[in-house]
Amino acid sequence: MNWAAIALVAVILMSIGIGDWRCRKIPNKSILYLAITLCSLLFFFDLSVQVFSAGMCFLIGFALWMMKFVGAGDIKLVTALSIIIEPKLLSSLLVVFAAAIVFTLLMMWLSDRFRKTNQLSSGVPMAVPISIAGFFGIVGTMY
């Protein structure tokens, strides 16, 4: 398999998560870099089901964005990741995603407590748990 592409995906996801933590924005360039890197992995998979899954993720995400529940960058990130992640892994990834949200909230709470800041008031950077779950999903799809 293409371990260099997986390592590059990990670095890109980490930079997206860190950027979202700091600024609460996911740059379009980062999503573009991720999509290009994921395209190099697409040669190993049958895409018929994943494209439908990605379309559904986008439609559901778009509805959530219209209701102001999530940011547009988060939807773009989920859609890009869902192209390569097998749909049968999605239920397992929801557990990883939930654990990553708890981890993110705990880290934000600790950061607020020790730095005497109030990061929680500006919202939870959802790219962090999405990136963590997405990375595990890509690795799970590869095996």
Side-chain angles (χ1 to χ4, degrees), residues 29-108:
K29 285 183 182 178
S30 298
I31 299 296
L32 180 63
Y33 298 149
L34 179 65
I36 291 170
T37 307
L38 291 175
C39 285
S40 70
L41 295 173
L42 291 178
F43 297 108
F44 298 108
F45 306 106
D46 174 29
L47 291 180
S48 59
V49 178
Q50 276 102 318
V51 171
F52 176 75
S53 171
M56 292 305 297
C57 284
F58 177 75
L59 290 175
I60 292 169
F62 184 74
L64 291 172
W65 174 74
M66 291 295 290
M67 293 185 282
K68 305 287 185 202
F69 286 133
V70 293
D74 300 327
I75 301 310
K76 291 183 284 188
L77 180 59
V78 168
T79 302
L81 289 170
S82 66
I83 290 173
I84 199 161
I85 295 173
E86 288 186 29
K88 67 181 181 182
L89 294 174
L90 291 180
S91 60
S92 302
L93 289 180
L94 285 176
V95 174
V96 174
F97 180 65
I101 288 174
V102 170
F103 174 75
T104 303
L105 287 171
L106 178 64
M107 290 297 107
M108 289 182 75

